[in-house]
Amino acid sequence: MNTPKPLQPQAPAVPETRPEEIEHLLQRQRTYFASGRTLEVSYREEQLRLLLNAIKSHEQELLEAMHTDFRKPAFETYTTEIGFVEQELRLVLKNLHKWARPRRVRESLLNFPASSYIYSQPFGIALIIGPWNYPLQLVLNPLIGALAAGNCAIVKPSELTPATSAVITKLINTTFEPEYVAAVQGGVPATQHLLAQRFDYIFFTGSTQVGRIVMKAAAEHLTPVTLELGGKSPAIVAEDADLGLTARRIAWGKFMNAGQTCVAPDYLLVQEQVKDELLEQLRIAIQQFYGEVPENSPDFARIVNERHFNRLRSYLQDGLVRIGGQVNADTRFISPTVLDQVTWTHPVMQEEIFGPILPVLTYDTLDEAIEQVNAGPRPLALYFFSGSRAQQDQVLEQAHFGGGCINDTISHLINPNLPFGGVGESGVGSYHGQSSFDLFSNQKSVVRRGTWVDIPLRYPPYGNKLEFIRKFFRWL
Ligand code: NAD
């Protein structure tokens, strides 16, 4: 039997960028933005191409850094980070010239003669703050949107994945001029100093708790924000679901990145008659994916740090372990685990889990399942497994959630034509593909009015024009 390799020592903690440096960078970016250089679409395309090349040339370093930080398997790092970001860049490079054009919309006869347009104008300087769990994707994808729309940007990757954050910082700071794009490093002090400055847009990905801090700071300057937050995303399994397929798709979405995914199914809500069969299918799927001893699998990541490891380990006491349950504190390993006999009052059901532990709850009727979901804060994602179109439609119509899938998990993120974001406590705003471009643009509404005639109807004195205008409004 292979003995599990010890974790590589964590990279040294990230340095804190000094407050004066942050202020200086911001000042330089303000001057640069005011120069108008970023307004040229060809300039933006050139810079995005530089980013694409930089990602390609840093691929090996990124794969190694994420392995050092939490033993993320290379396949997952490529598909969910590097390849994902490259896809987004290619899509933007193909379409940017179209998105950036003023969009003509239908005219109102009340404005005759005129034509109406939406002009997309960059906000100015964007601040992008990222989390640790998909450390590359979650800072670079928003950055692509910000640059495509013509903004300058300051990026702050997470301090909890120090090796990856060091590579991201190097990648950004060697690709761009700092007056255009810069990466700064640090934890809470640096982030709070950034948040005290006046930015033109703030894009934050992280926990709901820190999201509140960000929104409060943004309110000081009335800066628009996007908040990509977390929550407890359910996977609901109906009695008629194909249980083998369902188990594989849930296990894939839950245990990828060792469950440290914002849209991972947080808990299972299964129709009570099929619970035992579903758990049996989950046992088979987990064994197929990670073998008899998941600790020996090269395809299963580790928990990011000791604090999260201890928090997750404590959840194992909240119910009956039906599958998994093995832990190794030296390597921050927690095996893919399914936890039965859990109630809403257990800590594991009160907080976002963010790890490879899947608690199981049951329901009798679908109405009751939807009621349970809607009783809590609105989740970022929801997954429903059923062959019944009527039941699918009921869930889509009645349950509140950011986005999700029918008969799958996580794949709604893969299609860049779908805006991705949360609702309520799971977030504000959405991005990916053209939605990112729109998000980072001020959509200016403009009427171009003809000058060859000036119909006097709207001007005082109004005299007896009211009857005519009423008829005109009703006719429109
Ligand atoms: P976090 O909120 O702890 O940290 C995110 C960022 O905020 C980091 O860069 C950190 O330096 C900074 N930060 C932390 N505390 C701060 C404070 N007091 N003041 C100012 N800044 C502070 O989140 P995390 O642990 O890195 O990531 C996990 C969370 O992110 C989970 O809740 C997860 O669901 C969520 N998430 C959401 C998405 C999404 O797209 N919706 C994606 C990934 C992760």
Side-chain angles (χ1 to χ4, degrees):
M1 192 185 92
N2 295 334
T3 33
K5 283 190 219 124
L7 269 187
Q8 289 162 26
Q10 274 217 305
V14 299
E16 290 279 325
T17 305
R18 284 176 296 116
E20 325 68 270
E21 234 177 290
I22 287 175
E23 288 160 33
H24 183 57
L25 271 174
L26 193 54
Q27 243 169 28
R28 287 178 69 183
Q29 292 206 352
R30 286 231 167 276
T31 310
Y32 192 65
F33 182 74
S35 76
R37 188 81 175 92
T38 69
L39 297 181
E40 294 161 31
V41 173
S42 59
Y43 173 81
R44 300 180 204 171
E45 288 167 340
E46 185 188 305
Q47 299 296 320
L48 291 169
R49 259 182 238 113
L50 288 178
L51 182 58
L52 184 57
N53 290 336
I55 295 165
K56 284 185 192 150
S57 63
H58 284 79
E59 179 172 324
Q60 194 52 35
E61 267 180 273
L62 287 164
L63 290 169
E64 283 165 18
M66 277 182 241
H67 197 267
T68 302
D69 282 330
F70 57 115
R71 212 188 273 180
K72 183 157 171 151
F75 182 89
E76 290 183 10
T77 301
Y78 184 78
T79 51
T80 66
E81 306 257 14
I82 299 168
F84 194 89
V85 171
E86 288 182 3
Q87 290 283 81
E88 179 85 355
L89 270 164
R90 284 193 201 95
L91 178 91
V92 172
L93 282 166
K94 198 167 149 211
N95 293 292
L96 183 56
H97 63 286
K98 274 186 277 165
W99 299 341
R101 268 186 228 136
R103 252 174 275 169
R104 187 164 181 181
V105 294
R106 270 189 67 180
E107 193 41 75
S108 162
L109 258 187
L110 288 169
N111 276 341
F112 181 82
S115 49
S116 286
Y117 301 85
I118 299 170
Y119 280 76
S120 297
Q121 186 174 45
F123 284 101
I125 321 294
L127 169 63
I128 295 166
I129 303 172
W132 60 266
N133 64 327
Y134 287 84
L136 180 79
Q137 189 220 122
L138 294 172
V139 292
L140 288 198
N141 256 23
L143 178 65
I144 294 165
L147 302 189
N151 298 278
C152 295
I154 293 184
V155 170
K156 210 292 293 178
S158 171
E159 71 281 17
L160 297 192
T161 39
T164 313
S165 292
V167 181
I168 294 172
T169 305
K170 176 163 82 85
L171 184 157
I172 289 178
N173 291 349
T174 55
T175 304
F176 301 109
E177 294 302 327
E179 59 266 35
Y180 177 46
V181 183
V184 302
Q185 296 217 68
V188 176
T191 319
Q192 292 202 332
H193 193 71
L194 282 163
L195 288 171
Q197 313 305 308
R198 187 174 63 79
F199 280 88
D200 302 298
Y201 204 94
I202 299 178
F203 189 104
F204 171 81
T205 307
S207 59
T208 299
Q209 185 197 357
V210 179
R212 284 186 222 283
I213 296 174
V214 172
M215 203 164 185
K216 273 189 195 148
E220 273 303 309
H221 302 288
L222 285 181
T223 302
V225 281
T226 294
L227 302 175
E228 296 283 338
L229 311 176
K232 290 186 83 62
S233 301
I236 306 177
V237 182
E239 60 282 8
D240 68 336
D242 174 339
L243 297 179
L245 184 81
T246 299
R248 279 194 299 284
R249 292 182 176 180
I250 290 177
W252 173 75
K254 177 70 184 184
F255 301 119
M256 172 202 297
N257 219 35
Q260 302 164 116
T261 303
C262 56
V263 284
D266 183 276
Y267 65 96
L268 208 59
L269 200 47
V270 53
Q271 210 287 335
E272 55 200 16
Q273 286 169 20
V274 292
K275 179 179 111 176
D276 288 335
E277 177 57 19
L278 179 66
L279 294 197
E280 185 46 34
Q281 293 297 332
L282 273 169
R283 181 191 306 281
I284 294 169
I286 291 169
Q287 198 184 326
Q288 280 172 351
F289 291 0
Y290 306 111
E292 284 286 352
V293 185
E295 194 167 8
N296 293 339
S297 167
D299 299 328
F300 187 68
R302 296 301 184 260
I303 306 307
V304 71
N305 63 19
E306 211 178 310
R307 180 170 66 85
H308 283 294
F309 174 82
N310 290 331
R311 177 182 62 80
L312 288 162
R313 180 161 61 177
S314 74
Y315 293 150
L316 297 177
Q317 289 148 20
D318 285 357
L320 177 73
V321 172
R322 288 279 295 261
I323 302 170
Q326 297 84 14
V327 298
N328 181 344
D330 292 339
T331 55
R332 301 192 306 277
F333 165 80
I334 297 182
S335 64
T337 296
V338 175
L339 209 56
D340 199 1
Q341 294 180 18
V342 172
T343 66
W344 284 100
T345 56
H346 284 114
V348 75
M349 287 309 296
Q350 306 250 306
E351 299 153 12
E352 179 183 13
I353 298 169
F354 223 58
I357 299 173
L358 184 66
V360 183
L361 292 140
T362 57
Y363 70 87
D364 178 15
T365 64
L366 189 58
D367 285 346
E368 185 199 306
I370 295 171
E371 219 172 278
Q372 288 191 49
V373 171
N374 284 347
R378 302 195 159 165
L380 182 59
L382 181 146
Y383 307 113
F384 182 54
F385 291 84
S386 165
S388 151
R389 185 67 198 227
Q391 290 207 9
Q392 295 170 5
D393 289 344
Q394 185 186 348
V395 170
L396 294 179
E397 199 179 294
Q398 296 177 2
H400 292 274
F401 56 96
C405 311
I406 298 292
N407 291 319
D408 203 2
T409 59
I410 301 192
S411 49
H412 59 300
L413 263 83
I414 295 168
N415 181 355
N417 299 318
L418 289 174
F420 168 65
V423 58
E425 292 204 9
S426 58
V428 177
S430 52
Y431 75 126
H432 283 179
Q434 190 174 359
S435 309
S436 293
F437 175 87
D438 291 345
L439 184 87
F440 280 104
S441 306
N442 174 29
Q443 314 268 320
K444 282 203 305 202
S445 295
V446 175
V447 170
R448 285 181 185 274
R449 202 78 204 262
T451 51
W452 54 272
V453 62
D454 191 24
I455 300 166
L457 184 63
R458 62 178 166 167
Y459 299 131
Y462 301 123
N464 55 3
K465 294 177 189 171
L466 178 61
E467 199 41 42
F468 177 79
I469 202 79
R470 185 182 286 127
K471 282 194 185 129
F472 187 54
F473 267 63
R474 286 175 185 167
W475 172 81
L476 279 175

